[in-house]
Amino acid sequence: MLHLTLALGFIAIVISGSAFLGRMTVRNKSIFEIPNLDTCLRIGIGSLILSHSLLLMTCTQLISKTSLAVLLTIISVFAVIEITRYFLPWLIASTWKLGSRRNALFAVFFLLYSLWIIVFSMLPPSDRDELIYHLAVPKEIFRSGGFKLFQDNIYAYFPQLGEMFFLWARGIFNETIAEIASKLHHVSFGFLTALALYSYSRSFLPKTYCFLATVVFLTVPSVMQVMPLAYVDMTFTFYSFITLVCLLQFLESPRVSYAILMGALAGAAASTKYTGISFAGLIICVILIYQLARKEKRYARHIPTIILSFGFVFAPYLVRNFFWTGWPLFPFPFFGKQLSSGLNWDLDRAQLYIQFLASFGTRSGGTPLLDDILGPVLVFLKARFNEPRFYEGVLGPIFLMIPIVLWKKTIRPPLKALLCFTGLFFFYWTFTTKQVRFLFPILPVLCFLLVFGIAESKRKNILSFLVVPLLLFNLHAGVKESLQKQPLPYLAGSESRSAYLIRQWPGLVMYFDANKRIGVEETVYLVNMKNYVYYLDCSWRADFIFERWWLEKALELNANTSEFHAALRSREITHILLDTEFIRSDLWGLEGKGRERFQKLLTARSFEVSQSGPFSLRKLV
């Protein structure tokens, strides 16, 4: 409990301090004139300022326990001021004003849901993206005292607005507390998104329906599965939704201040995930459509302001990447020139990576065009967890009610803009990466449209009754997926951290063994070992996205064992950690002469140091 308490305290300081910075930035003015929504906006602006401050520290090699502790001390002062002057009075004024028994039930749901999410945040990180880069990259940055050349891990060059806070926690606490704090930071942005959705809905709907909209959002199975992880999807969703709300304000009153704010918020979304660039492009498309429809409003003249504001916020990541790699959008080749030497990446892999991202949601043996056309419907019906062919996540069929509940309804101007953006977003999603998590930015909008349609219907009681089993279906799917990890033995204290992690993926036992056996001057090369490098403390090399890429190329170029052995040693590789079963399989393994040459190397120029199941650690001789 001490670990959880310290992590919660860190998040309270970060969120409250961010609110203070945001309040000072907007000079305590109300932007949206919706109290809780303005609070969310200030937290978002303050978090952006803090994250970019940490980014500057990483780029100038100023990361250390001392510098991060000094920053936390300063933000703690801001947090105390914000809590005493604003948060406490707000809590006292708003607590227990539920209004009805139905709203009291919603309050009970939110309490139980929060406890559920917090409990799962206490589990050791075991999800793929956590271990490959969300936690692995901040760990390496802190160890190096700042940003460095990441030769192999291409994800290190992704935007890192969220990961900067993971880095901060890593510098303040021990490993366990830092992991919990990182997860809770992601959780906090999930709840901030829910609060922003509730607050915006209050402009149109009674309190009960606003609660319902947030329940629909929080019970989306993929949201339940992703929220307690050290990810950035909820952070991205938050900034995307706040940007959309700002767009609606801009379309109603096209002012320069809204254009600057909208561009900055879209830049914050892009500073969280590259897909924020596309999100900003869709925002521009909506503005152009409205310009054609309402020529007297002169929306288009503000587009340069939006782009400049967006670029100002997002530019630090472009500059950093260009400096280290030569490609501003690395690992993607767009707008790049010559790729810097020393990087385990090339144009061929970049183009294959783009094709790979576009393959989500395409069934094996299916018709790609048909899959694309039906994607916006099938994603709500046939999506599955951990299956790229089936959108790699679950949203549930509840959102298919939206066309039904909005049929023949009088659509107010703000809702027309939301529908326009939703249509554009699904069109973009259909022909890019058809993955459930790429739909997260539009989820709050879908939840609002669904509940708005129900509230405006003459048969609202019947529709509300129909929503209940669909909500229960989603809740069941989310709980079932969360329990796949079987967390109870660890949470009850009857299972150790390492035993829990090895149960999630048996190969981790070899990672822990490699940490003990590989010396300071030695380097291990990972072959089909999932690249869960967060748990590797020794020096390592690996191929990301396309595992074995360098290995297969080296086997092609070096005909005999001695040449191949020399190629490995030229990369300072002293050990190989591999999944022998995977690499020898007929379906996924090495083929032909490559398999023969690799087997000769293992037999003639290496010996086994340790082994567990199909996983083997071998030392080159």
Side-chain angles (χ1 to χ4, degrees), residues 6 46 73 190 234 263 351 357 456 473 547 561 574:
L6 291 172
T73 302
M234 290 294 101
Q351 293 171 342
L357 291 174
E456 293 290 305
F473 171 85
E547 294 188 50
T561 301
T574 59

Side-chain angles (χ1 to χ4, degrees), residues 68 86 96 125 141 201 259-260 320 340 360 368 376-377 380 394 411 443 453 496 549 596 612:
L68 294 175
Y86 299 101
W96 311 118
I141 291 175
S201 301
I260 294 172
R320 182 200 67 179
S340 300
F360 280 85
V377 175
F380 299 111
V394 176
I411 306 299
L443 273 184
S496 68
W549 179 278
E596 293 176 12
S612 177

Side-chain angles (χ1 to χ4, degrees), residues 7 12 20 22 51 74 138 162 179 197 203 253 261 274 310 387 401 413 556 588:
F20 177 88
S51 180
I74 295 170
E179 291 167 356
L197 171 60
S203 302
S253 177
L261 181 61
Y274 272 143
F310 172 87
E387 292 238 20
M401 289 182 63
E556 288 178 13
W588 302 109

Side-chain angles (χ1 to χ4, degrees), residues 490-561:
Y490 175 79
L491 293 172
S494 60
E495 185 178 46
S496 68
R497 173 186 170 92
S498 59
Y500 169 81
L501 289 169
I502 292 167
R503 183 159 55 80
Q504 304 308 311
W505 183 58
L508 284 175
V509 69
M510 296 303 297
Y511 278 63
F512 302 145
D513 187 65
N515 289 333
K516 299 174 184 176
R517 295 180 182 273
I518 296 177
V520 177
E521 302 297 326
E522 297 176 316
T523 299
V524 62
Y525 177 48
L526 306 179
V527 180
N528 292 126
M529 288 296 293
K530 296 184 180 288
N531 295 342
Y532 287 175
V533 293
Y534 176 68
Y535 288 120
L536 267 185
D537 297 324
C538 58
S539 177
W540 55 268
R541 298 298 306 267
D543 297 308
F544 279 71
I545 304 297
F546 307 105
E547 294 188 50
R548 291 204 320 256
W549 179 278
W550 180 87
L551 175 66
E552 292 180 354
K553 294 295 182 183
L555 288 169
E556 288 178 13
L557 295 172
N558 301 285
N560 60 59
T561 301

Side-chain angles (χ1 to χ4, degrees), residues 300-364:
R301 69 174 183 174
H302 294 288
I303 290 178
T305 303
I306 295 169
I307 294 173
L308 285 173
S309 180
F310 172 87
F312 178 78
V313 172
F314 184 50
Y317 286 102
L318 301 177
V319 173
R320 182 200 67 179
N321 288 356
F322 185 79
F323 175 81
W324 286 102
T325 72
W327 291 1
L329 294 173
F330 188 91
F332 304 105
F334 311 121
F335 310 110
K337 294 184 179 180
Q338 183 67 35
L339 191 63
S340 300
S341 60
L343 291 164
N344 185 15
W345 196 247
D346 50 52
L347 185 59
D348 290 340
R349 273 180 280 185
Q351 293 171 342
L352 284 173
Y353 186 29
I354 295 170
Q355 295 174 24
F356 165 73
L357 291 174
S359 69
F360 280 85
T362 302
R363 293 169 292 116
S364 178

